[in-house]
């Protein structure tokens, strides 16, 4: 645990502590703004009206609309441990923040550490010079020790008897150590590059391999131009999906913090700032859109983006609609591959994939509910519109979709369409037991609690799934394209 310098170890001066970036690894203004907008899009226009009335008014209006759980905020545990030690030693602790009083009080009540709370009140924005004036009025010049994390805190540190720099960047720490005698540092600002990469979820890009499927099912394996456009379309979908993952995680911070595993996501745990995500999301979306237009997959990509954003904003909270949307997003990858390659997706492939992807989407929901039932956590499920009591019926829906996909596949391999594409379509009958075994194995893994909450990712790390895919590819090659 970090310790303060000897000059700061005194119980005669109160220790005043900032909130955003110091006590917690996030910015409550940014979080409350995002929560307000995603709960009611009309608040986006109101933000500018409130801001024109002053930042204190903006914070107050947002705080009134922000239903958050102070216990779930990403606290700076290292610093909290230090404060608990100081409190145990008899130190007087004051929470002094530019955040609105409603937010500050909720945090103070949860931690039960602070003797007093000073905050913005809807009329005065307690930041920088105003915070310094309020502290000097309460404790006198040089009558307090102050802990902060950014350059605006210099206005306070100049009037403080002691300086504590918390989770700051290297430049600020060096300046503070040089400017203020006896200054102490606690932690350092973490580089956000790794957290940003994690938030982009590159491991999810494996789903975009479905864009290649039309080349395999329509006789286009020898078309080099089709391969070029299809690969560019894959990159476009990767960029667009990462942009949407950023928006999704930003909008879902509260729910993710209540989830036993998703609480470790970068935005939820505070390792990645919301503003960083709001900058990168449109940049990636523009990159994806440009590549989508070049590759010819822009229609499917555009529908994918609209559906994904609708899912993020509202549809993910609607039971059953959410799984149909997830299935549609998978199917749109096939359509994108067809548009880019010039090899149209057949109605047979659409029929098979629709049932297949609906089954996979239901596996995702069932596995999430299984994990929540095991952990005793229900808040996340409620936000999705489900209850653990829905498990049985969702399993029935999913298994039904699984077998329906196999029926469509069995009808296809004996159809005239298969005869036109494959020289030996009878070999494709081997796909039926393979695909049925693979899907049944996914359901068995889900029932046993082994399933990652995304079946595609589970399959990408499962050697049995890879063996099934290899055998399926071998059968398609053996069938020979005409």
């Amino acid at each position: 645990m970090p310790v303060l310098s000897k000059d700061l170890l005194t119980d005669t001066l109160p220790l005043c502590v900032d909130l955003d970036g110091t006590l917690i690894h996030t910015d409550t203004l940014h979080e409350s703004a995002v929560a307000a907008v995603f709960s009611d899009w009309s608040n986006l226009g109101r933000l500018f009206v409130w801001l024109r009335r002053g930042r204190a008014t903006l914070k107050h209006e947002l705080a009134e609309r922000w239903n958050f759980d102070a216990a779930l905020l990403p606290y700076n545990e290292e610093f909290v441990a230090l404060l608990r030690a100081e409190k145990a030693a008899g130190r007087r602790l004051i929470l002094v923040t530019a955040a609105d009083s409603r937010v500050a009080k909720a945090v103070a009540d949860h931690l039960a550490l602070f003797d007093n709370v000073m905050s913005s009140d809807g009329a005065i924005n307690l930041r920088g010079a105003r915070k310094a004036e309020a502290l000097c009025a309460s404790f006198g010049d040089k009558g307090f020790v102050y802990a902060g994390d950014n350059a605006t805190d210099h206005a306070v540190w100049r009037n403080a008897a002691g300086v504590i720099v918390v989770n700051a960047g290297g430049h600020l720490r060096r300046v503070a150590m040089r400017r203020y005698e006896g200054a102490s540092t606690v932690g350092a600002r973490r580089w956000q590059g790794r957290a940003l990469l994690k938030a982009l979820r590159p491991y999810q890009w494996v789903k975009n391999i479905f864009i290649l499927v039309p080349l395999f099912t329509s006789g286009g394996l020898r078309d080099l131009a089709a391969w070029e456009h299809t690969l560019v379309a894959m990159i476009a979908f990767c960029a667009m999906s990462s942009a949407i993952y950023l928006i999704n995680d930003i909008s879902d911070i509260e729910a993710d913090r209540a989830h036993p595993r998703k609480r470790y996501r970068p935005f939820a745990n505070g390792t990645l700032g919301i503003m960083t995500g709001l900058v990168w999301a449109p940049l990636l979306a523009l990159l994806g859109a440009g590549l989508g237009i070049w590759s010819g997959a822009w229609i499917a990509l555009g529908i994918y983006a609209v559906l994904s954003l609708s899912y993020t904003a509202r549809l993910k909270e609607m039971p059953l609609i959410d799984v149909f949307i997830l299935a549609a997003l998978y199917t749109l990858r096939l359509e994108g591959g067809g548009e880019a390659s010039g090899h149209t997706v057949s109605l047979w492939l659409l029929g098979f994939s629709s049932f297949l992807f609906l089954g996979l989407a239901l596996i995702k929901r069932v596995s999430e509910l299984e994990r929540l039932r095991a952990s005793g956590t229900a808040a996340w499920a409620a936000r999705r519109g489900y209850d653990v009591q829905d498990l049985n019926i969702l399993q029935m829906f999913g298994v039904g979709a699984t077998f329906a996909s196999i029926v469509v596949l069995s009808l296809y391999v004996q159809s005239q369409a298969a005869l036109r594409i494959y020289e030996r379509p009878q070999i494709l009958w081997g796909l039926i037991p393979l695909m049925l075994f693979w899907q049944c194995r996914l359901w068995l893994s889900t029932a046993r609690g082994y399933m990652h909450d995304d079946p595609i990712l589970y399959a990408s790390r499962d050697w049995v799934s890879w063996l099934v895919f290899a055998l399926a590819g071998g059968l398609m090659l053996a069938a020979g394209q005409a």
Side-chain angles (χ1 to χ4, degrees):
M1 186 184 74
V3 295
L4 303 183
S5 66
K6 290 183 179 180
D7 291 340
L8 299 180
L9 288 173
T10 174
D11 58 1
T12 60
L13 294 179
L15 175 54
C16 302
V17 179
D18 187 27
L19 177 63
D20 297 332
T22 302
L23 189 64
I24 58 176
H25 291 297
T26 189
D27 189 304
T28 56
L29 174 59
H30 297 162
E31 288 208 18
S32 59
V34 165
V37 170
F38 277 96
S39 64
D40 182 353
W41 285 97
S42 63
N43 285 330
L44 183 60
R46 296 189 182 105
L47 289 178
F48 300 98
V49 176
W50 296 332
L51 184 59
R52 287 185 62 183
R53 298 174 184 169
R55 291 181 68 87
T57 299
L58 172 67
K59 293 175 181 180
H60 180 73
E61 295 290 345
L62 291 175
E64 288 295 314
R65 290 162 175 78
W66 188 25
N67 296 317
F68 71 103
D69 185 348
L72 297 179
L73 290 173
Y75 289 93
N76 181 348
E77 296 298 341
E78 180 184 34
F79 189 52
V80 170
L82 184 149
L83 293 178
R84 292 193 188 283
E86 291 294 300
K87 182 70 173 179
R91 192 72 170 271
R92 189 180 179 199
L93 303 181
I94 313 296
L95 180 60
V96 188
T97 174
D100 186 74
S101 57
R102 182 176 179 275
V103 176
K105 185 178 185 303
V107 171
D109 289 346
H110 167 66
L111 290 177
L113 276 176
F114 298 100
D115 299 282
N116 192 18
V117 177
M118 302 171 65
S119 59
S120 299
D121 59 4
I124 297 176
N125 183 33
L126 202 67
R127 186 171 187 264
R130 285 187 173 178
K131 183 183 289 188
E133 291 172 3
L135 287 173
C136 288
S138 297
F139 308 110
D141 189 29
K142 306 299 181 181
F144 59 91
V145 175
Y146 180 73
D149 69 292
N150 62 62
T152 61
D153 290 318
H154 281 301
V156 184
W157 283 326
R158 282 193 291 267
N159 299 100
V163 170
I164 306 174
V165 184
V166 183
N167 284 342
H171 176 71
L172 181 61
R173 283 185 285 120
R174 288 190 296 271
V175 170
M177 296 299 288
R178 185 174 62 249
R179 186 177 298 178
Y180 309 111
E181 184 178 354
S184 291
T185 62
V186 178
R189 181 166 297 169
R190 290 166 284 188
W191 182 58
Q192 293 195 343
R194 182 177 297 178
L196 175 61
L197 181 62
K198 183 178 179 181
L200 296 180
R201 300 194 213 174
Y203 58 88
Q204 296 276 10
W205 295 345
V206 68
K207 296 177 182 177
N208 295 322
I209 200 170
F210 290 121
I211 294 171
L212 298 175
V213 169
L215 286 176
F216 286 84
T217 59
S218 61
L221 290 177
R222 301 183 185 91
D223 189 342
L224 295 181
W227 273 99
E228 179 184 359
H229 283 78
T230 300
L231 292 175
V232 173
M234 285 184 67
I235 299 172
F237 270 85
C238 289
M240 186 65 73
S241 62
S242 287
I244 293 167
Y245 285 137
L246 291 176
I247 297 298
N248 178 74
D249 287 358
I250 289 173
S251 71
D252 224 17
I253 288 176
E254 283 292 319
D256 284 350
R257 285 177 182 156
H259 192 278
R261 186 180 55 80
K262 294 182 180 182
R263 61 196 173 114
Y264 297 110
R265 285 179 173 176
F267 293 113
N269 67 14
T271 55
L272 185 63
I274 289 175
M275 292 306 298
T276 301
L278 292 178
V279 169
W280 275 96
L283 292 178
L284 287 168
L286 287 173
L287 173 63
L291 293 176
I293 293 171
W294 187 92
S295 67
W298 61 274
I299 295 177
L301 183 66
I303 297 174
Y304 172 87
V306 171
L307 267 184
S308 296
L309 290 172
S310 300
Y311 174 85
T312 294
R314 179 62 178 166
L315 297 182
K316 65 185 175 185
E317 300 176 12
M318 298 182 179
L320 294 185
I321 291 178
D322 65 325
V323 290
F324 277 88
I325 294 297
L326 288 175
L329 294 177
Y330 283 122
T331 305
L332 282 168
R333 290 175 168 93
L334 297 181
E335 288 289 350
E339 290 178 359
S341 65
H343 296 275
T344 306
V345 176
S346 70
L347 293 179
W348 283 109
L349 179 57
L350 281 178
F352 167 71
S353 63
S354 295
F355 285 113
L356 170 67
F357 293 147
L358 179 59
L360 295 179
L362 285 162
I363 286 176
K364 178 180 173 69
R365 282 293 175 261
V366 168
S367 65
E368 290 169 342
L369 288 172
E370 287 281 10
R371 288 177 178 270
L372 292 173
R373 180 171 66 175
S375 66
T377 304
W380 186 89
R383 179 173 167 80
R384 288 292 190 267
Y386 292 104
D387 188 273
V388 291
Q389 296 176 351
D390 299 325
L391 270 170
N392 289 339
I393 189 66
L394 292 177
Q395 288 170 333
M396 292 172 59
F397 292 156
V399 172
T402 289
F403 280 86
S405 71
I406 300 305
V407 171
V408 175
L409 180 60
S410 65
L411 292 173
Y412 167 73
V413 298
Q414 56 186 328
S415 69
Q416 291 297 315
L419 287 173
R420 287 194 299 269
I421 296 176
Y422 297 96
E423 295 176 354
R424 297 172 292 278
Q426 64 274 14
I427 295 177
L428 296 178
W429 275 101
L431 292 174
I432 295 170
L434 275 177
M435 294 305 297
L436 184 57
F437 165 77
W438 178 66
Q439 293 187 70
C440 287
R441 186 172 183 275
L442 292 181
W443 278 108
L444 184 61
S445 297
T446 302
R448 291 180 173 179
Y450 303 150
M451 176 61 60
H452 188 286
D453 63 5
D454 193 312
I456 300 300
L457 296 183
Y458 175 87
S460 70
R461 299 162 182 166
D462 174 42
W463 70 270
V464 175
S465 295
W466 278 103
L467 179 59
V468 169
F469 299 153
L471 290 173
L475 288 173
M476 295 179 71
L477 291 175
Q481 294 186 353

